[in-house]
Amino acid sequence: MDFNRRFSDAEHRREELIKNIEIALSRLSVSELEAISYDLVTKGYMD
């Protein structure tokens, strides 16, 4: 098993997900972003 390749695949997928999330977030209104921010703070994902 090639652990370096597995890490590389996981890192590539992570970067792809981040890019897709950034694109989706850029299309939201301020009120929608505030709602997401509130949700993430109350769930402990953001400070």
Side-chain angles (χ1 to χ4, degrees):
M1 178 177 253
D2 186 356
F3 289 104
N4 290 329
R5 172 144 172 108
R6 185 174 182 154
F7 175 77
S8 176
D9 290 345
E11 188 63 26
H12 175 67
R13 181 66 179 141
R14 180 181 184 278
E15 293 299 321
E16 183 180 325
L17 288 167
I18 289 171
K19 182 178 87 173
N20 289 338
I21 291 167
E22 287 175 341
I23 291 168
L25 289 174
S26 73
R27 296 178 182 152
L28 297 178
S29 68
V30 172
S31 60
E32 290 168 323
L33 289 169
E34 288 173 337
I36 290 171
S37 175
Y38 176 80
D39 190 45
L40 291 173
V41 168
T42 58
K43 291 180 179 176
Y45 295 120
M46 282 185 4
D47 291 338

